[in-house]
């Protein structure tokens, strides 16, 4: 990988967890005292080569802003889509002005 290549992360987190069957979307279900999404974002933020993270969220999501990781300057959100691939497409579009053709994008499902 050349020096000019940067790394970004896309985290689709707009699902409602219908198959999961919980009272809340599975990305917000607590795991060892923290929401699952918090664990995912903390791991990505712990990787110094990641320039930024775009999280695709469901319309009206009010939980994301409460996560400590959501306040990190490298994390931002965008509207998710009706299906996972549309959420990924929206997040990639949100990177359009920053990511270059030679950059790498990691997609990590929340």
């Amino acid at each position: 990988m050349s020096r000019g290549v940067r790394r970004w992360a896309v985290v689709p987190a707009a699902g409602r967890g219908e198959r999961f069957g919980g009272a809340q979307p599975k990305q917000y279900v607590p795991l060892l005292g923290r929401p699952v999404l918090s664990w995912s974002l903390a791991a990505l933020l712990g990787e110094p080569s990641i320039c930024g993270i775009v999280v695709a969220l469901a319309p009206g999501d009010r939980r994301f802003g409460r996560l400590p990781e959501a306040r990190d300057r490298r994390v931002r959100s965008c509207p998710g889509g009706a299906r996972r691939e549309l959420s990924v497409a929206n997040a990639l579009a949100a990177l359009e002005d920053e990511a270059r053709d030679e950059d790498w994008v990691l997609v990590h499902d929340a």
Side-chain angles (χ1 to χ4, degrees), residues 5-56:
V5 175
R6 298 174 301 166
R7 294 178 186 95
W8 305 88
V10 162
V11 180
R16 295 184 304 261
E18 291 172 349
R19 290 181 311 214
F20 181 69
Q24 60 186 328
K26 67 181 172 184
Q27 62 269 29
Y28 293 111
V29 170
L31 175 65
L32 298 174
R34 290 169 55 189
V36 171
L37 180 56
S38 182
W39 287 105
S40 297
L41 293 174
L44 292 167
L45 288 168
E47 172 50 53
S49 69
I50 301 238
C51 295
I53 302 168
V54 180
V55 183

Side-chain angles (χ1 to χ4, degrees), residues 45-103:
L45 288 168
E47 172 50 53
S49 69
I50 301 238
C51 295
I53 302 168
V54 180
V55 183
L57 300 171
D61 184 313
R62 294 181 184 188
R63 294 176 175 107
F64 179 72
R66 296 184 213 143
L67 300 179
E69 295 82 10
R71 293 185 286 278
D72 188 289
R73 63 176 178 73
R74 294 175 290 162
V75 177
R76 63 185 149 162
S77 64
C78 73
R83 296 186 316 272
R84 183 176 293 118
E85 66 271 18
L86 298 174
S87 290
V88 171
N90 288 352
L92 290 171
L95 283 173
E96 194 171 51
D97 292 336
E98 289 187 73
R100 300 182 297 245
D101 290 344
E102 64 273 11
D103 289 352

